[in-house]
Amino acid sequence: MIEVKNLSLAYGSKAILKQVNFQIEAGEVVGLVGPNGAGKTTLLSALTGLLPYSEGQVKVAGLYMPAGKALYRKIGFMQDNSVLYPQLTGYDHLQYIALAQGFSKESIIETAERVGMIGYLDQAVGTYSLGMKQHLLFACAILHRPQVLFLDEPYNGLDPTSLIRIRELVMQLNREEGMTVLISSHNLDEIDRMTRRILFVKEGQIIERTLAQSETSDYVVTVQEKLADDWIRRLSDYSFLVSASQLSQALVGLELAGLTLIGVEPRQFGSEQVYRELFEVK
């Protein structure tokens, strides 16, 4: 459903994406993760035809870029709220999309109800909170039931209730309608809830990881006294990592070293752990 080959993109002399390659099959949910400025939004803009690229090939929903307006019948893109018009109502925004795509007024109301914004649909967007704007942006992206849904930081400004509603609706669309989803988010816990396949953007390139469904056999051991800087597999001043097979030996070693054990917990191996390792976050 999404095929990217040797994609490169630069702003002036600054290379943002460098020989990017990946493929996403129909019906997959895939995460897109990286620090600010890594190129996530640039990549999404290239995949949705909004940014030209200098090299490579992009194919989305069977169409090669640039695909023109035919692409926008097949994809939905939730961007940031700078694309909204403050003087128009939420209904105005959705009506524009419905008219362009040939959908009825009923589809507008149905989508607004599913997203949870029916109560302020007729208010001017200039009066919306950040969370309300996120609701509208999401509704605009799914109104026409696209084959491929691109989400750029969909959880910004959402309260827990709205976050759960949006996540469950995305997964419902994927499960029941086979919608392919590429979601960029800094909320790593939510990424882990939605997918085990993640594309990490680092220095303009893609590093792909498919996380194991089960936890690793490693344990995090926490002690009361500060560890030496050269402590093996040290995670912080007061914790280190040890495999299950070496746990008993490590506990004996703590006692011999005069260190006080605080706790032992299974290592939760998710996207945060991979992120820490890839981007050397201590």
Side-chain angles (χ1 to χ4, degrees):
M1 189 58 72
I2 302 173
E3 188 176 348
V4 179
K5 294 182 179 179
N6 301 319
L7 173 65
S8 295
L9 191 153
Y11 291 138
S13 60
K14 184 178 181 181
I16 306 299
L17 301 175
K18 309 169 188 176
Q19 297 291 301
V20 169
N21 291 275
F22 64 90
Q23 185 170 312
I24 298 175
E25 300 297 331
E28 279 195 282
V29 177
V30 178
L32 184 66
V33 172
N36 289 333
K40 302 184 301 298
T41 297
T42 298
L43 176 59
L44 291 177
S45 296
L47 297 181
T48 54
L50 299 180
L51 270 180
Y53 45 89
S54 51
E55 301 180 31
Q57 186 179 83
V58 175
K59 185 180 180 183
V60 177
L63 300 173
Y64 286 98
M65 299 298 174
K69 64 182 181 181
L71 177 69
Y72 300 108
R73 296 190 181 278
K74 297 189 173 189
I75 72 167
F77 184 17
M78 181 178 174
Q79 300 171 265
D80 64 58
N81 61 51
S82 64
V83 302
L84 299 176
Y85 294 87
Q87 72 275 22
L88 300 181
T89 67
Y91 185 89
D92 292 333
H93 285 79
L94 294 171
Q95 183 181 43
Y96 178 83
I97 295 170
L99 290 172
Q101 300 280 15
F103 282 77
S104 65
K105 176 181 177 180
E106 287 71 26
S107 66
I108 297 174
I109 302 303
E110 177 192 358
T111 301
E113 287 177 341
R114 293 184 78 179
V115 173
M117 58 171 296
I118 197 71
Y120 48 88
L121 189 58
D122 294 322
Q123 290 179 218
V125 170
T127 68
Y128 281 18
S129 67
L130 176 57
M132 293 161 71
K133 290 177 181 177
Q134 292 295 99
H135 288 164
L136 176 57
L137 289 164
F138 184 71
C140 288
I142 68 167
L143 174 66
H144 59 298
R145 295 298 186 271
Q147 295 177 31
V148 186
L149 180 61
F150 297 94
L151 301 173
D152 192 5
E153 294 296 341
Y155 302 125
N156 278 351
L158 296 185
D159 60 37
T161 299
S162 296
L163 187 152
I164 292 168
R165 183 197 293 268
I166 296 299
R167 182 221 305 146
E168 291 186 348
L169 183 49
V170 170
M171 299 312 292
Q172 181 183 13
L173 292 169
N174 169 257
R175 183 174 61 252
E176 297 179 1
E177 302 183 19
M179 195 176 290
T180 304
V181 182
L182 180 59
I183 173 172
S184 171
S185 178
H186 292 307
N187 191 326
L188 300 183
D189 287 340
E190 285 302 314
I191 289 287
D192 286 348
R193 287 174 181 269
M194 298 178 70
T195 183
R196 305 301 292 177
R197 185 183 174 202
I198 304 174
L199 306 177
F200 291 89
V201 186
K202 182 179 182 181
E203 297 176 354
Q205 297 184 316
I206 292 292
I207 301 171
E208 182 173 341
R209 292 288 186 270
T210 300
L211 307 182
Q213 292 295 335
S214 59
E215 296 173 356
T216 69
S217 58
D218 287 345
Y219 287 84
V220 177
V221 178
T222 305
V223 296
Q224 183 172 306
E225 296 81 12
K226 187 174 180 179
L227 297 168
D229 290 341
D230 60 352
W231 191 273
I232 297 173
R233 302 186 76 186
R234 180 175 178 268
L235 292 176
S236 70
D237 287 344
Y238 300 95
S239 66
F240 65 94
L241 202 61
V242 64
S243 67
S245 62
Q246 296 177 320
L247 180 58
S248 296
Q249 181 181 350
L251 296 180
V252 172
L254 288 181
E255 186 175 355
L256 293 174
L259 297 172
T260 307
L261 177 66
I262 298 297
V264 178
E265 295 182 355
R267 181 197 199 191
Q268 300 293 321
F269 193 82
S271 57
E272 179 178 333
Q273 185 60 37
V274 178
Y275 187 96
R276 284 176 176 271
E277 293 174 1
L278 287 178
F279 298 97
E280 300 178 355
V281 179
K282 302 298 184 184

